[in-house]
Amino acid sequence: EGIVPTVKEPGRSIHLIPRD
Amino acid sequence: IQFTRHAGDVLLNFNRLRSRNLLTDVTVQVDGQIFHAHKAILVACSGFFYSVFMKPENASLSAISLDPKVDPKGFSLLLDFMYTSFLNLNDSVALTTLNTAIYLQMEHVADTCHRFIRSRH
Amino acid sequence: IQFTRHAGDVLLNFNRLRSRNLLTDVTVQVDGQIFHAHKAILVACSGFFYSVFMKPENASLSAISLDPKVDPKGFSLLLDFMYTSFLNLNDSVALTTLNTAIYLQMEHVADTCHRFIRSRH
């Protein structure tokens, strides 16, 4: 299949659950 | 003392539990396909699942069926992302993954899918 | 595409769920003190909890009492570590944290406590 380069995504990935 | 590998090790162990179907507490049905998962991971990663399982009447739901229009392939990719940090995009799945991410209220992933699609044109 | 923050983002959300006592599925009693937690995190982080909850007869246990000799302060520190990657060691808690980590079969943490104690002498 060949090597697929991995792209790094440094930003937030998911929502932040609120404290309350 | 911060253990910098810890979070990644925990996620890896969660993925191992999932592959062995251990401590999974919900099945998600998508167009006839069944996926086993840990509610807490779904809630941590998806605004949709957060809003479903935070309702007191849904707290002990052990099975959920998604809207029939949701593509199981897109869901499978996003579930793998939740458990691994890796999103395996390519031209053939990018659009369905984007649509599924929007449905699951996974905004950051949806943005990334959108940028991928734009960059491929 | 690898979301490099993802594991840490998931762990932070788990800690938020714990602080709001959402989706917690086990209470751990330590010398009279009650701690709420997610079984899957305990299993992912501790060989002791792994061996307890992996027994089929224990899979649906929702409460567990630890050996009376276990120090709740040490347990609390290790529970915080599990959910945050941070281990808050100091001279007064290092030994009890080491002993609790040994009891919970958390080898890397025990090694770190041991090295901390040696470095302080």
Side-chain angles (χ1 to χ4, degrees), chain A residues 5-20, chain C residues 1-7 9-10 12-14 16-17 19-20:
Chain A
T6 298
V7 174
K8 291 203 194 272
E9 167 53 68
R12 165 163 279 286
S13 66
I14 51 180
H15 67 145
L16 178 60
I17 286 173
R19 273 186 230 270
D20 206 332
Chain C
I1 299 171
Q2 181 187 18
F3 286 75
T4 53
R5 289 184 50 154
H6 180 67
D9 288 347
V10 171
L12 175 56
N13 276 347
F14 261 90
R16 295 255 166 121
L17 290 175
S19 69
R20 293 170 59 185

Side-chain angles (χ1 to χ4, degrees), chain C residues 104-118:
Chain C
L104 293 180
Q105 296 165 44
M106 297 172 68
E107 195 181 317
H108 296 102
V109 172
D111 284 347
T112 298
C113 292
H114 200 197
R115 269 181 276 125
F116 175 88
I117 290 168
R118 281 203 317 259

Side-chain angles (χ1 to χ4, degrees), chain B residues 14 16 51 83:
Chain B
F14 260 92
R16 291 202 169 148
S51 60
Y83 278 88

Side-chain angles (χ1 to χ4, degrees), chain B residues 1-3 6-8 10-11 13-14 20 22-23 40-41 43-45 50 54 81-82 85-87 89 112, chain C residues 1-3 6-8 10-11 13-14 20 22-23 40-41 43-45 50 54 81-82 85-87 89 112:
Chain B
I1 299 171
Q2 183 183 17
F3 287 67
H6 177 72
V10 170
L11 196 64
N13 278 344
F14 260 92
R20 294 166 61 184
L22 294 171
L23 294 178
I41 292 277
V43 164
C45 297
Y50 176 78
M54 290 303 98
F81 155 75
M82 293 184 199
S85 309
F86 285 85
L87 184 67
L89 284 187
T112 297
Chain C
I1 299 171
Q2 181 187 18
F3 286 75
H6 180 67
V10 171
L11 198 63
N13 276 347
F14 261 90
R20 293 170 59 185
L22 295 171
L23 294 178
I41 292 276
V43 164
C45 298
Y50 177 84
M54 291 300 99
F81 157 74
M82 293 183 197
S85 308
F86 284 86
L87 185 67
L89 284 186
T112 298

Side-chain angles (χ1 to χ4, degrees), chain B residues 22 46-47 61 105 116 120:
Chain B
L22 294 171
S46 151
L61 260 187
Q105 297 166 40
F116 175 88
R120 304 289 292 161

